Amino acid sequence: DTEVTQTPKHLVMGMTNKKSLKCEQHMGHRAMYWYKQKAKKPPELMFVYSYEKLSINESVPSRFSPECPNSSLLNLHLHALQPEDSALYLCASSRGTVNTGELFFGEGSRLTVL
Amino acid sequence: KQEVTQIPAALSVPEGENLVLNCSFTDSAIYNLQWFRQDPGKGLTSLLLIQSSQREQTSGRLNASLDKSSGRSTLYIAASQPGDSATYLCAVIHGFDGGFKTIFGAGTRLFVKA
């Protein structure tokens, strides 16, 4: 099973809302990633968790708050977002050391901030 | 600083044609290189991963080659089909600040005409 599952597929939220994106993998991968992708652009790395600990934060604004409850789950908590945060949010996982193994992506969560 | 370039940005071919997508990188000291496919509004699907010690990888109608010395990788698609229409991204993994970093190219948008 080489699957990364993301929920919800679509999310619309106002600037005062609090919502969460969820990601799950059962491949035994110990590195998990959040990427943000704008239209016609490549994915941009936001956060990396390695063995359930935050390993990399690419200077992401605090209105994005990641959480890794266990080795299979990764959440991204959203609060007080701006319309420019509207994008496709992608979760990925890989085996072994951060950023060295084959990356497996989920289908993404399309976020619209009104 | 590692930079990844994909040329052409867009490509339209008739069904059945063999085609080559190009990926070039500026720093040859890479750890590995991965090719992805992305359908509109969807996540990235891993196609092929080439380790730095390898010269090529094959999967079905796809063949990816790697020439580190010249800073190039190519993705060869044989007998193209309309279902191959998608954006193809290459990603280079290289050493950075004691760890590793994944750098994506901007992608090549492929359209295969029936």
Side-chain angles (χ1 to χ4, degrees), chain A residues 37 99-100 102-103 106-107, chain B residues 32 34 38 42 46 93 100:
Chain A
Q37 187 179 29
N99 278 334
T100 60
E102 184 174 4
L103 276 173
E107 285 293 295
Chain B
N32 61 37
Q34 191 169 357
Q38 185 173 31
K42 302 289 189 181
S46 177
I93 293 82
F100 294 91

Side-chain angles (χ1 to χ4, degrees), chain A residues 37-72:
Chain A
Q37 187 179 29
K38 299 286 257 183
K40 293 186 168 51
K41 297 288 187 183
E44 299 173 14
L45 183 64
M46 300 174 71
F47 303 103
V48 183
Y49 273 82
S50 176
Y51 289 86
E52 299 154 53
K53 290 190 185 336
L54 185 62
S55 174
I56 297 174
N57 176 342
E58 292 284 359
S59 303
V60 179
S62 60
R63 57 186 184 268
F64 295 92
S65 175
E67 178 196 19
C68 189
N70 60 54
S71 60
S72 300

Side-chain angles (χ1 to χ4, degrees), chain A residues 33 35 37 40-45 56 58 88 90 97-108 110, chain B residues 31-32 34 36 38 41-49 51 89 93-94 99-102 104-106 109:
Chain A
Y33 311 73
Y35 282 85
Q37 187 179 29
K40 293 186 168 51
K41 297 288 187 183
E44 299 173 14
L45 183 64
I56 297 174
E58 292 284 359
L88 182 67
L90 295 163
T97 309
V98 167
N99 278 334
T100 60
E102 184 174 4
L103 276 173
F104 292 90
F105 281 84
E107 285 293 295
R110 170 71 61 189
Chain B
Y31 186 81
N32 61 37
Q34 191 169 357
F36 296 91
Q38 185 173 31
K42 302 289 189 181
L44 279 67
T45 299
S46 177
L47 297 174
L48 291 163
L49 174 77
Q51 304 281 2
L89 297 108
I93 293 82
H94 78 123
F100 294 91
K101 193 160 187 168
T102 302
F104 282 87
R109 290 195 308 281

